[in-house]
Amino acid sequence: MARSVPEPRTAQEAYRVEPADLDTDAHDIIALWSSNLGHAERRQGKFAWFYRGNPAGRPTVLLLRHAQSDAPVGTVGIGFRAMRCGAASLSAGLMGDFAVNAQHRTLFPALTLQRAVLARGLASHPVLYGFPNAKSLPVVQRAGFAVMGHLGRYVCVLRTSDHLPSALPRALRRLVGGALDTILHAVRLIGPSLLDREKHDTRWLSQPDDRFDALWAEQVADRTVIGTRDRAFLHWRFVQKPSRHYRLFALTARVSPERPDALRGYAVCEPVGETLYVRDFLAAPPWQRNLSRLFHALMREAARQGYARISMECLGPDAVMGALSKAGLRLRDACSQPVILATTQEGAACLAGKDWYLTSADADE
């Protein structure tokens, strides 16, 4: 006779959290993602890329199980993000892929999973961060994470006619917009060159090369928290990532006879319709000067290729934000994406008084 499973007496007994085996539990993990996170067609590739092929180390996945059925009903992952915190190296944990089945989407199951990932993450990393969506933000905050800032959304309009009053006849909007675009393009083309005596070249690259290691080595160990952006990371993060297509816009210059085409900055770009999204960027110091050069050049190239706008999300020091503004990128949403943070005492001491440098490259998607 089959043995009956006793009913759990409390909410705590109804669920348990346990580490997943990335080999034997792969099917359950991918099924939970597909049911709850959307884009089911991408989930197998995401698992192979981020969880099995991550050069920083194999991430941890936690499964939330329902005690009565023993079925997995939720999951969350913790990946590695190598960072530089001032002059020190920092191994941060990146929380992602938080999903709970709809029938278990009450506060307690989600909170149980988030408290478990917080404890597990801080046991391995002095810093744990993530990019929650609006629905999960209250849960992660209640579990113990704090909102330490937001990625702001910045936009540069390249096709003015799209933003002229709709009351104007369409033909007039196109005529006026075209004239304004011509003037703005001339300003972007001529203005910076009049003030900048250094000669720079630009080109599109399909993948990073050795010059990206040299650019990363040039970064000054100041009061900034920034994720590693060397050749190996960028190749894995953007070239090897499935289901997406990126191109690297490179700004180069002659800095010495030995470095006739040294990399002065790059922007990782993803075209989506008429918008050119910048998913990551970096420039040689000083940031304010070289980032301004980089984005002026990118705007000219994007306009030449017919894009209507450039859009990006980032959080950075004043020098970075000032360079974006100087280049013509305008803040459209200061709180586009919240960034959550939890730290150990060691992690808090390392982060104290430092500015974060974050882009889409620092997320898990």
Side-chain angles (χ1 to χ4, degrees):
M1 188 170 93
R3 185 179 178 183
S4 62
V5 179
E7 289 285 337
R9 290 172 296 176
T10 65
Q12 286 85 349
E13 293 177 332
Y15 298 92
R16 72 177 189 276
V17 179
E18 61 187 28
D21 184 304
L22 295 187
D23 296 319
T24 59
D25 294 321
H27 179 269
D28 290 335
I29 295 168
I30 294 169
L32 285 165
W33 292 348
S34 300
S35 300
N36 297 286
L37 301 180
H39 300 290
E41 73 284 356
R42 298 181 184 175
R43 296 302 161 187
Q44 185 75 45
K46 165 70 181 291
F47 186 79
W49 168 70
F50 190 83
Y51 288 89
R52 281 187 167 149
N54 196 322
R58 228 179 202 207
T60 297
V61 176
L62 300 181
L63 285 176
L64 177 71
R65 291 191 180 274
H66 184 236
Q68 280 293 103
S69 64
D70 200 42
V73 297
T75 183
V76 67
I78 311 171
F80 294 86
R81 184 69 175 106
M83 291 188 161
R84 183 186 292 167
C85 184
S89 296
L90 175 69
S91 176
L94 169 58
M95 185 190 73
D97 297 313
F98 173 45
V100 177
N101 280 346
Q103 60 269 39
H104 298 273
R105 225 172 271 165
T106 55
L107 176 61
F108 182 77
L111 192 58
T112 298
L113 189 53
Q114 280 297 322
R115 285 173 172 165
V117 78
L118 182 64
R120 181 87 177 206
L122 293 183
S124 305
H125 306 278
V127 171
L128 183 63
Y129 75 101
F131 300 89
N133 59 31
K135 291 181 179 179
S136 64
L137 183 58
V139 176
V140 299
Q141 287 182 288
R142 186 160 179 173
F145 286 94
V147 176
M148 68 87 168
H150 294 80
L151 300 187
R153 183 169 66 90
Y154 294 81
V155 175
C156 176
V157 173
L158 302 174
R159 188 183 300 158
T160 312
S161 60
D162 293 349
H163 299 270
L164 293 176
S166 58
L168 293 175
R170 186 176 181 181
L172 182 58
R173 290 204 308 270
R174 285 183 174 178
L175 180 64
V176 174
L180 289 173
D181 291 343
T182 300
I183 294 171
L184 289 173
H185 182 67
V187 170
R188 294 187 187 108
L189 183 65
I190 300 171
S193 62
L194 292 176
L195 302 174
D196 192 349
R197 296 182 178 275
E198 294 186 25
K199 177 175 171 51
H200 294 82
D201 294 317
T202 61
R203 68 193 68 181
W204 289 101
L205 302 173
S206 59
Q207 58 185 351
D209 54 34
D210 290 343
R211 292 174 297 176
F212 286 76
D213 285 334
L215 177 65
W216 174 243
E218 287 186 63
Q219 301 305 307
V220 178
D222 58 4
R223 302 192 66 77
T224 303
V225 182
I226 181 172
T228 298
R229 283 164 164 78
D230 58 13
R231 178 185 183 180
F233 171 77
L234 294 172
H235 188 274
W236 170 76
R237 182 63 180 79
F238 295 109
V239 179
Q240 294 184 348
K241 185 176 181 180
S243 306
R244 306 286 280 271
H245 175 67
Y246 305 95
R247 298 176 69 200
L248 286 78
F249 183 76
L251 179 76
T252 63
R254 179 185 176 88
V255 298
S256 70
E258 295 76 24
R259 300 176 67 194
D261 60 347
L263 189 64
R264 299 293 83 198
Y266 71 82
V268 179
C269 301
E270 180 183 20
V272 180
E274 295 186 322
T275 302
L276 188 65
Y277 287 94
V278 176
R279 302 305 189 187
D280 189 38
F281 62 90
L282 188 66
W287 278 343
Q288 191 149 11
R289 183 178 66 190
N290 285 316
L291 283 174
S292 181
R293 288 168 173 164
L294 172 68
F295 281 104
H296 272 123
L298 180 61
M299 289 169 191
R300 294 193 297 268
E301 176 64 12
R304 186 187 69 80
Q305 293 194 15
Y307 289 101
R309 66 196 66 83
I310 291 174
S311 180
M312 58 188 290
E313 288 185 328
C314 66
L315 170 67
D318 290 343
V320 173
M321 300 298 99
L324 299 186
S325 177
K326 183 178 178 182
L329 284 148
R330 297 293 176 255
L331 181 63
R332 289 294 180 85
D333 185 354
C335 300
S336 179
Q337 171 62 64
V339 185
I340 56 170
L341 179 69
T343 69
T344 62
Q345 288 186 343
E346 175 193 355
C350 181
L351 298 179
K354 297 182 177 65
D355 296 315
W356 283 79
Y357 185 117
L358 293 170
T359 71
S360 300
D362 298 296
D364 65 309
E365 288 292 345

